Amino acid sequence: FFAFCNDITERKKYEKNLLQLIRTLKAMQDSSMIMLHAGSEEEMLKEVCSIIVEDCGYKMVWIGFRECDKEQSVRPVAFAGFDEGYIENMKVTWGDTPRGRGPTGTAVRTGKPVLCSDMRTNPDFKPWREEALKRGYNSSIALPLYTDEEIFGAMTIYSMNPSAFSDEEQQLLSKMANDLSNGIKAIRLKVALKRINEELEDKVNSRTAELSSTLEALEGEKQRFQDLLNRIPAYVALISPNHEIAFCNKNFTDYFGEVNGQTCHEMLFGDK
């Protein structure tokens, strides 16, 4: 009898990691399409969270924005996956406090991705450990969201497995967070431009209404002036500096005919 023993642990680990990277690449592609066609920022954030959970197979994902309040809180704006009230009660901050030293708060404060490989042993995760383990969370990664000059939030992803995020996976998820930052920036710019256009349109409409009202008032004044001149028993005409007849009363028109716009010479002699 001959027997061979071959340890395939590393190969299985490699295959598992490769499969996860493929799933993440699909999530990146799907989320890019959402960012291109989303009608609102809220819709886009919810869709991206759902894609990460469904395509990548993670337990839960949430996105939070930095608040400049007294507590330096991180306000949840979108999530997907198994939550069971976890987000509502976690009270994450981005200050240098026990509730700000976890992955999300640190990512917002420093602008760098923060990995929690094992929630059971990570001392900075202590404020949320009990509730997280109840829901089957064991590791997480927090990825900052930022514009050119400011960190405005973070996307945090939870896995049921310890040490779930390989180096390659971290790079892809960081790229996805960067794409999401650009998507948020683009949709905010779109909203701002729309608001500016609406404000300009309102101003133009208001100005147009004012001009229309002014023209109506001028037409009314012109008519009253015409009526006044028509009651004068004489030939009355207003002559411009270049000798054109700009205005005349009814007696003048009845005698000389329609002469508005003609020069005095043309009216009298019929030629220029």
Side-chain angles (χ1 to χ4, degrees), residues 235 250-257:
Y235 305 130
K250 187 174 184 302
N251 287 337
F252 194 99
T253 302
D254 290 344
Y255 187 82
F256 293 101

Side-chain angles (χ1 to χ4, degrees), residues 9 11 15 56 74 78 99 122 143 149 153 175 177 180 224 228 242 248 267 269:
T9 303
R11 191 183 74 185
E15 291 175 352
C56 299
V74 179
R99 287 194 170 269
N122 189 322
L143 305 155
E149 299 177 352
K175 177 65 167 60
L180 180 59
R224 283 190 290 272
L228 177 63
N242 59 352
C248 57
M267 183 195 73
F269 303 104

Side-chain angles (χ1 to χ4, degrees), residues 119-123 125-134:
M119 296 176 180
R120 296 169 299 182
T121 59
N122 189 322
F125 205 82
K126 184 178 179 180
W128 310 277
R129 179 178 295 133
E130 182 179 352
E131 295 302 318
L133 296 178
K134 282 182 182 179

